[in-house]
C-alpha cells in the first residue's frame, strides 16, 4: 500500500505549492534512494543545492524527531549568514559587525580600519586548507583588534538601533515563520553568535519578533551610566571557541535535558560545537549553510554537517523539516 498526502505550506515560509508526504517504502534523494521503511518525503531535501553525504543517517534522525514530536526538540543556531542572508539581489548583506560600518554614526577611521581588518582576516577564516587550530589565534587577534577599535568610538545605546534600521542585514526568507512556530510550540531557540549581541537583538526586533523562548549568547557591549559604550562584557566569543565558556558553563543545557533532540544550524565549522554542552542528546541534525568558497569547501562541509545547503538565502529546508516535527503530534 502506498499513500500520498497533500498538505499546503504556509505562504510566508515556503515556495507556493503543496508539501508532499509519501508514506511508503522509499525516499527518493538526489544522491540515491533511501530505503528506510516508513519515511516522510521532504521535497526540499531533493533540491539540487542541497547535499547529503549520508542519506540513511539523515533519514533516521528526521524520523526519530518526527516520532518524538516537538516536546523533545530544541534548536541551536548561529546568527550571521545562518539566520541572516549572505546576499540579497546579488549584493552581500551585512553581518553584525558590518552593520556598524554601513551607518553614518561611526567615524570614517572606524569604517576604514574595520574593512581593512575584514579584508585581511576573513579569507583566513574561510580558507579550507587551514586547520581550526591554525585559525584560532588568528581569529582571536581579529576579534581583539575589532573590539578595541569599536571601543574607541564611544557609541551610545540608541546608535545601535539606528544603524540596524539603515543596514543591509536581512533575516533569511522564512525566518519570521521559523521564529513564530518555535515560539508557538514552546521550542527553545539558542542563538549562539560570535557577532555583536546588541545588533542581533535589534535586527530581530526590527525584522521579526524577539520571543521569550529565545536566548542570545554573543558579544555584548558594555555601557556606562550615560549609555556610552566603554567596552565588551565577559569573555570574547569568536568563530572557533563556541565549545568553551559562555553557555556551556551555565545551566542552560541542563535545564533542557528532557529535550534530547537538537537541530543545529551554522555556516562555519566552528558552529558545529555550539551544542557541545547539551545533555543526553539522542538525535542531532546538523544543517550547514555554505555561502562562500563552495567548490573548495564542499567536501569538508559534507563530512561534518548532515545536510549542506549551498548559496541559498531561505530557510525552506529547515522549515520543511520543522513543519513535519510540528505536525507529528497535532
Amino acid at each position: 500500500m502506498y499513500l500520498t498526502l497533500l498538505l499546503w505550506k504556509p505562504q510566508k515560509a515556503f515556495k507556493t505549492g503543496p508539501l508532499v508526504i509519501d508514506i511508503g517504502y522509499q525516499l527518493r534523494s538526489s544522491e540515491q534512494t533511501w530505503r528506510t521503511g516508513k519515511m516522510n518525503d521532504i521535497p526540499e531535501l531533493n533540491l539540487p543545492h542541497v547535499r547529503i553525504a549520508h542519506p540513511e543517517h539523515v533519514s533516521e534522525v528526521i524520523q526519530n524527531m518526527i516520532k518524538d514530536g516537538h516536546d523533545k526538540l530544541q534548536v541551536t543556531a548561529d546568527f550571521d549568514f545562518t539566520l541572516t542572508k549572505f546576499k540579497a539581489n546579488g549584493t552581500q548583506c551585512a553581518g553584525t559587525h558590518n552593520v556598524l560600518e554601513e551607518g553614518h554614526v561611526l567615524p570614517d577611521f572606524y569604517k576604514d580600519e574595520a574593512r581593512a581588518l575584514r579584508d585581511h582576516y576573513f579569507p583566513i577564516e574561510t580558507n579550507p586548507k587551514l586547520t581550526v587550530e591554525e585559525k584560532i589565534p588568528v581569529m582571536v587577534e581579529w576579534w581583539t583588534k575589532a573590539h578595541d577599535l569599536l571601543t574607541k568610538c564611544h557609541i551610545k545605546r540608541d546608535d545601535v538601533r539606528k544603524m540596524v534600521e539603515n543596514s543591509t542585514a536581512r533575516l533569511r526568507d522564512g525566518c519570521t515563520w521559523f521564529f513564530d512556530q518555535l515560539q508557538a510550540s514552546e521550542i527553545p531557540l539558542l542563538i549562539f553568535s560570535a557577532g555583536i549581541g546588541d545588533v542581533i537583538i535589534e535586527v530581530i526586533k526590527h525584522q521579526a519578533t524577539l520571543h521569550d523562548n529565545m536566548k542570545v549568547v554573543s558579544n555584548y557591549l558594555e555601557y556606562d551610566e550615560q549609555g556610552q559604550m566603554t567596552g565588551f562584557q565577559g569573555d570574547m566569543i569568536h568563530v572557533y571557541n563556541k565549545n568553551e565558556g559562555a553557555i556551556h558553563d551555565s545551566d542552560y543545557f541542563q535545564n533542557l535535558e528532557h529535550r534530547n533532540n537538537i537541530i543545529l544550524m551554522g555556516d562555519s565549522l566552528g558552529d558545529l560545537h555550539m551544542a557541545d554542552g547539551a545533555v543526553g542528546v539522542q538525535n542531532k541534525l546538523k544543517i550547514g549553510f555554505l555561502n562562500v568558497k563552495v567548490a573548495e569547501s564542499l567536501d569538508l562541509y559534507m563530512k561534518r554537517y548532515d545536510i549542506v545547503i549551498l548559496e541559498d538565502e531561505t530557510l525552506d529546508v529547515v522549515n520543511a523539516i520543522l513543519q513535519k516535527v510540528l505536525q507529528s503530534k497535532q
Side-chain angles (χ1 to χ4, degrees), residues 108-271:
D108 288 340
F109 82 82
Y110 171 83
K111 299 176 185 180
D112 293 340
E113 292 185 38
R115 290 191 189 108
L117 288 173
R118 185 176 68 252
D119 290 345
H120 174 71
Y121 289 106
F122 184 68
I124 299 173
E125 177 192 337
T126 58
N127 186 343
K129 296 180 180 180
L130 297 176
T131 66
V132 170
E133 290 72 24
E134 290 172 317
K135 292 179 181 182
I136 286 175
V138 183
M139 294 302 101
V140 171
E141 184 178 282
W142 182 10
W143 258 249
T144 300
K145 289 181 178 179
H147 287 184
D148 288 346
L149 178 62
L150 182 59
T151 302
K152 295 177 183 178
C153 299
H154 305 296
I155 63 175
K156 297 183 178 179
R157 289 182 189 273
D158 198 48
D159 291 337
V160 176
R161 178 185 58 79
K162 293 175 183 176
M163 287 187 280
V164 166
E165 290 177 354
N166 295 300
S167 76
T168 62
R170 296 288 182 273
L171 293 175
R172 289 182 181 269
D173 296 339
C175 197
T176 297
W177 186 89
F178 176 71
F179 287 162
D180 292 348
Q181 293 302 310
L182 293 179
Q183 165 69 9
S185 297
E186 299 182 341
I187 298 171
L189 170 60
L190 170 63
I191 298 175
F192 199 166
S193 173
I196 299 177
D198 307 68
V199 175
I200 293 171
I201 297 296
E202 291 300 329
V203 170
I204 295 173
K205 285 181 176 180
H206 185 60
Q207 300 181 26
T209 303
L210 186 67
H211 295 297
D212 58 13
N213 68 317
M214 297 177 176
K215 183 176 182 64
V216 180
V217 175
S218 188
N219 299 298
Y220 283 92
L221 306 183
E222 192 164 50
Y223 300 95
D224 60 21
E225 294 180 357
Q226 286 71 45
Q228 184 169 288
M229 179 192 172
T230 58
F232 280 82
Q233 302 176 28
D235 296 331
M236 174 199 305
I237 300 173
H238 60 76
V239 177
Y240 293 110
N241 72 339
K242 291 186 177 183
N243 61 324
E244 302 173 2
I247 197 68
H248 303 297
D249 288 341
S250 73
D251 59 359
Y252 178 83
F253 284 118
Q254 283 72 26
N255 292 335
L256 298 178
E257 185 174 358
H258 63 290
R259 293 184 177 269
N260 44 30
N261 295 335
I262 297 179
I263 293 177
L264 182 147
M265 302 158 55
D267 76 311
S268 80
L269 298 180
D271 293 332

Side-chain angles (χ1 to χ4, degrees), residues 52-70:
I52 302 172
H54 302 288
E56 296 89 351
H57 171 71
V58 170
S59 168
E60 180 181 2
V61 170
I62 293 176
Q63 279 283 55
N64 289 339
M65 289 184 172
I66 291 171
K67 179 183 66 176
D68 291 343
H70 63 82

